[in-house]
Structure formats: C-alpha cells, structure tokens
Amino acid sequence: MQVSTEKKEGVQTLLTVTVPAADVQKAYDASFRKYAKNAKIDGFRKGHIPAKVLEQQFGGQIYSDAYDSLINSTLPQAVTESKLQMVGYPKVEVKEAKTDAVADFVYVATIEVAPELTLKPFEELTLKGEKLQTIKAEVSDKDVDEMIEKLRKQQGKWQVKDDAAVADGTRASINFLGRTDGVEFEGGKAENFSLTVGETQMIPGFTEQIVGHKAGEKFTIQVKFPEEYHAENLKGKDAEFDITVNSVSELSLPEVNEDFIKLFGIKDGSLDTFKADLRKNMQRELDRAKYVVTRGQVFDALVEQYGEFAVPQAYIDAESDRLAKQLEAQMRQYGMKKLPDTFKKDERFKDEATKDARLGAIVRKIVEELNLQEPSESFVEAQLDAMAGAYEEPEEVKAEIRKNKQAFENVKSAAIEAEVVAKVLEKASAGEKVMGFSELVNAQ
C-alpha cells in the first residue's frame, strides 16, 4: 500500500491511497466466496453456482464490495502512517478501480484534522480592548435582607382592592382588543389577562397607559409595535387597544415570624438560623455566578485573541447539535415538545456553533500545553463541594459521585475547565472588579 498526503487550505488534507493488485485480488476472492455461498440464481442450487455464471451476474457487485472492504481496512492504517489526527468521518472518492479485472485500486480521502494552533500569551489577553479583572463579591447583610423580602413576595397573596388604581407593584385583570388599520389582528384579544406592573412584559407604551386607571374603567390606548417584533405583519405598525380594567389587586406580604421561617425548612423558626441558612445558600449561588461570569469573560477573550481560523465541520456539527438540544430543552418549558427539524438543519446556529468550535480547539490546546489532561485534586474537590453542598450529608454524596464512573468523569471534565480558567486568569488578570450579589447573579 502506498500513501501520499497533500495539505489543502484550512484543516483539510488529501490522502491518496494506492492498494496493489495482489491485495485487491485477496479482497476480491473473499468477496467472491461470500457471494458464492449466499447468492441465488434460478436453475442453480444455493452454494453451487458456477464461477463464470456468478461473475456474469454479480461481477460488479463483487468488486464493489471488495473495494469497500479495502477502504475500511486500509484507511485507518493510512491515517496512522501519515500521522494525521483525523476528526470526524472522511469523504472518500475512488480514483482508479476496475470491475472486470484485478488491478491496483486508488482512492482519495479528504481528511479533516484538528487545527494547528500556537499558544498565545495569557498576559496579552483582553476583552474588547480592556484587560480582564478578577471578580470580587460577597454576600452582605443587605443582600440577605433583600432575599427575605423576595421570599415574602413569593409567599404573598394577591388581594383585590375595590378602589385601588393600577400602579407599580399592583396586578390588574384586564380585557383588551387590538386593531391595526381598523382591523382586529390575530393574538390581539384577551379576557381576564393578568398584568403585573413592573413584571409583565408588554409592547412599549402598553402598560404605561394602563397605570392610573381603576376597576370598571374602559378606554382606548395608542401604541406602536417595535420594528423587531416577532410577528412579521405587525412590525413597526401603529395599533390601538380597547381596554377594560376588571380588577386591581395588591400583594399582601406575610410577616417574618416563626411560621413564615418554618416554611423554608428551619425547624427552630429562629430568624438568626434562617439568615445563616440563607447566607450559606446565597454564597453557593454567588460562587457559581462568579465562576460563570468569569468563565464567560475568559472564553470570550480567548476567542477574540485567536481570531478566525478554520475548524473541522465535525466540530461545528457537534456544537450545532448541542445548541439545538439546548434550545429544545428551553422550549419544552413553554409547552413545545419538539423543535421543527429546520431548527437543526438551517443556518440558525452556524455562527455560534463556529465560535464554540474554535473555543473548544483553543481550550484543548491550552489543556495540552499545560498538561491538564487530568485535573488537580483541589479542583475536583471544589467541583464535588459545589455539587454536594446543598445536601445534609455532603460527604456521602461526594463518595457516591466518585463511585459512579460517568458522573465522576463529568466532574473531572468540569474541573479541567475550571482549572483552565484559573490558570489563564492568573496571568491575564489586571486588578479586581467589585460586584454586588444581585448584579453578579443577574450577569450570569
């Protein structure tokens, strides 16, 4: 077998393989024996068909199967001999092959390989021209108090107030009927629609014109649909809505007493215990948010630093599939069981998938250069602590994760990622950036 390579633009390499006639003969003989054993021809017993008759009937197929067998057996060897790190499945084109006589067999395989990258200095890393900063954040007493207020609102009860006007923080039940150019449009009508001022997202100007009205009032408002509105027929159009306010409710908040505190699993009902438990949970959430935001900044900076470069289509396809599945999972929360096939096949995810594929190649290069194929035990332990921290017996949970091969492999992969981020930021960071709890959690 003779093998030659020709590097093409980007990550493609042409691999030309010539299989000598002697090996072709062996493959042909093996294929012939298979057909001789299994072929059926009227007038002949199975397994007793004369060779010439068999060749007349199945000669082309016998050669074709022989060539398929040769490609399957020689391509991996050719790739190994050429010292290529093949990614995905190659495209194979037959160049020389006969179906009536044994001769040399030549085929060309288009191989995609991992991109060749040179590690760039972490010290030069910037994001949109700015040096990266280490995030500093902590859970303050004020943050804990604000969380208690948030929990009070979650446990609050909406109560109808007869003479109340729609205002910030109130909930209005309304009927509305929308028109554009004097004609009602699909989706523009609803009864007993619940609108919480400050929370429910409506088109610009809609909620603002409801504020100040009371139950029983009927009126018409004028709005304009945004240019980027999802419905094509409504983009940028002027519209009017007939509004009826059915009722206005205000949120009645519970007192922070023993009964309220026990709702959250604090058995002694103590405010101090409650605050300590909240602080612990919030710290865990803060640590996670800090890492997510830091990772995002580091990875975006790396993509910016290395710029555009070719990556195997297999990388892009894998990222596209991941993004499609991620979107599908999100859509299930809104009642859609399955995304249309076009969501996975069209250009929807191309740019993001290409960016993620490049990032993956960069991270793999860093892992290789820093010899991080196995994560440090401290990073593994940190991942386990984050996963098990919410349980009553965290050490038992951590032990169970270590016993589960797949679960522990996932932990190690996450630990490697975290270690890469830490190693990069260690040299790339220029000072600290102080962020509040809410700011950081929302930023993720």
Side-chain angles (χ1 to χ4, degrees):
M1 180 179 71
Q2 294 181 346
V3 181
S4 63
T5 60
E6 178 186 354
K7 185 172 177 57
K8 306 298 286 186
E9 186 177 356
V11 293
Q12 290 189 340
T13 295
L14 295 185
L15 195 65
T16 302
V17 181
T18 302
V19 182
D23 291 338
V24 175
Q25 182 67 64
K26 293 177 183 177
Y28 176 83
D29 291 343
S31 180
F32 183 89
R33 287 192 294 271
K34 183 180 70 173
Y35 273 84
K37 181 180 179 181
N38 299 312
K40 295 180 181 180
I41 297 178
D42 290 343
F44 298 93
R45 285 187 299 153
K46 184 178 178 180
H48 293 78
I49 302 173
K52 287 186 177 181
V53 175
L54 195 65
E55 288 178 337
Q56 288 174 352
Q57 290 287 327
F58 300 104
Q61 295 176 42
I62 294 172
Y63 271 104
S64 180
D65 285 2
Y67 292 143
D68 286 344
S69 175
L70 285 170
I71 291 172
N72 291 334
S73 62
T74 59
L75 182 55
Q77 182 182 346
V79 171
T80 300
E81 288 183 6
S82 302
K83 298 180 180 180
L84 296 174
Q85 293 183 331
M86 184 172 67
V87 176
Y89 297 97
K91 179 182 177 182
V92 177
E93 181 183 356
V94 174
K95 287 296 184 182
E96 296 179 22
K98 294 185 176 182
T99 56
D100 57 357
V102 173
D104 288 353
F105 171 54
V106 182
Y107 67 90
V108 175
T110 302
I111 306 290
E112 286 193 317
V113 299
E116 296 179 2
L117 298 177
T118 300
L119 194 66
K120 297 187 177 185
F122 299 150
E123 293 85 352
E124 297 177 2
L125 209 59
T126 61
L127 184 58
K128 297 179 180 178
E130 300 290 335
K131 294 289 289 183
L132 299 182
Q133 293 180 301
T134 301
I135 296 173
K136 183 178 180 180
E138 59 183 23
V139 179
S140 66
D141 291 342
K142 180 182 177 183
D143 293 326
V144 175
D145 290 339
E146 288 178 352
M147 181 58 69
I148 292 175
E149 285 303 301
K150 184 177 179 179
L151 295 174
R152 287 181 71 202
K153 289 181 179 180
Q154 291 177 0
Q155 297 297 320
K157 305 295 183 183
W158 288 100
Q159 296 181 346
V160 175
K161 299 294 182 179
D162 293 335
D163 199 39
V166 179
D168 190 36
T170 64
R171 176 173 292 177
S173 171
I174 64 173
N175 300 341
F176 62 78
L177 175 63
R179 292 181 297 275
T180 58
D181 300 324
V183 179
E184 296 179 22
F185 56 87
E186 185 178 356
K189 181 179 180 180
E191 292 186 358
N192 298 315
F193 179 82
S194 183
L195 189 157
T196 303
V197 181
E199 295 182 11
T200 307
Q201 297 296 315
M202 306 296 288
I203 58 176
F206 189 99
T207 301
E208 291 83 348
Q209 297 181 69
I210 310 295
V211 170
H213 290 278
K214 297 182 178 182
E217 294 186 10
K218 298 182 179 182
F219 51 96
T220 300
I221 64 173
Q222 308 293 327
V223 296
K224 187 180 184 67
F225 282 97
E227 293 292 343
E228 65 276 10
Y229 195 67
H230 66 273
E232 193 69 32
N233 63 316
L234 297 176
K235 288 183 176 181
K237 279 207 166 189
D238 292 322
E240 61 180 12
F241 284 86
D242 293 334
I243 307 292
T244 300
V245 179
N246 301 318
S247 65
V248 179
S249 300
E250 294 179 353
L251 189 62
S252 177
L253 301 180
E255 293 183 18
V256 182
N257 53 26
E258 186 174 328
D259 290 337
F260 174 79
I261 292 171
K262 285 183 175 179
L263 290 174
F264 301 94
I266 307 301
K267 295 179 180 179
D268 65 5
S270 162
L271 181 58
D272 288 341
T273 305
F274 183 39
K275 286 187 173 183
D277 188 67
L278 278 179
R279 185 181 292 274
K280 179 181 176 182
N281 293 333
M282 291 171 69
Q283 185 63 53
R284 188 162 50 246
E285 185 177 5
L286 184 70
D287 291 342
R288 175 62 183 167
K290 186 190 299 184
Y291 173 68
V292 170
V293 173
T294 300
R295 178 186 62 188
Q297 292 178 347
V298 168
F299 284 174
D300 284 346
L302 286 171
V303 171
E304 187 178 295
Q305 183 183 34
Y306 282 78
E308 295 185 1
F309 58 88
V311 287
Q313 188 61 43
Y315 285 0
I316 298 174
D317 290 344
E319 291 299 332
S320 293
D321 186 59
R322 179 185 64 80
L323 291 168
K325 289 179 179 177
Q326 186 179 72
L327 179 58
E328 194 168 21
Q330 292 172 351
M331 289 299 99
R332 284 199 194 99
Q333 298 176 6
Y334 298 96
M336 183 182 289
K337 295 182 179 179
K338 181 182 179 183
L339 287 178
D341 289 339
T342 52
F343 275 55
K344 299 179 182 179
K345 305 297 183 184
D346 64 10
E347 299 293 300
R348 175 178 293 271
F349 305 111
K350 182 179 179 181
D351 291 343
E352 188 174 356
T354 301
K355 174 186 173 182
D356 290 347
R358 287 178 180 143
L359 174 62
I362 295 167
V363 171
R364 280 188 285 273
K365 181 63 178 178
I366 295 174
V367 167
E368 177 187 332
E369 290 290 327
L370 300 184
N371 195 27
L372 295 177
Q373 287 80 4
E374 286 293 322
S376 302
E377 181 60 27
S378 60
F379 282 88
V380 172
E381 192 65 21
Q383 289 295 321
L384 290 171
D385 285 340
M387 295 174 67
Y391 294 89
E392 290 186 4
E393 301 292 340
E395 293 304 318
E396 291 183 11
V397 174
K398 288 160 64 175
E400 288 300 317
I401 294 174
R402 285 183 179 274
K403 291 178 184 177
N404 186 312
K405 184 177 180 181
Q406 184 58 55
F408 192 50
E409 283 300 318
N410 293 338
V411 168
K412 290 200 294 183
S413 295
I416 290 174
E417 179 189 83
E419 192 163 359
V420 166
V421 171
K423 296 285 187 183
V424 172
L425 193 62
E426 183 180 327
K427 293 186 177 181
S429 176
E432 292 182 337
K433 180 180 180 180
V434 178
M435 297 182 71
F437 174 83
S438 297
E439 179 189 8
L440 186 55
V441 170
N442 291 332
Q444 71 176 320

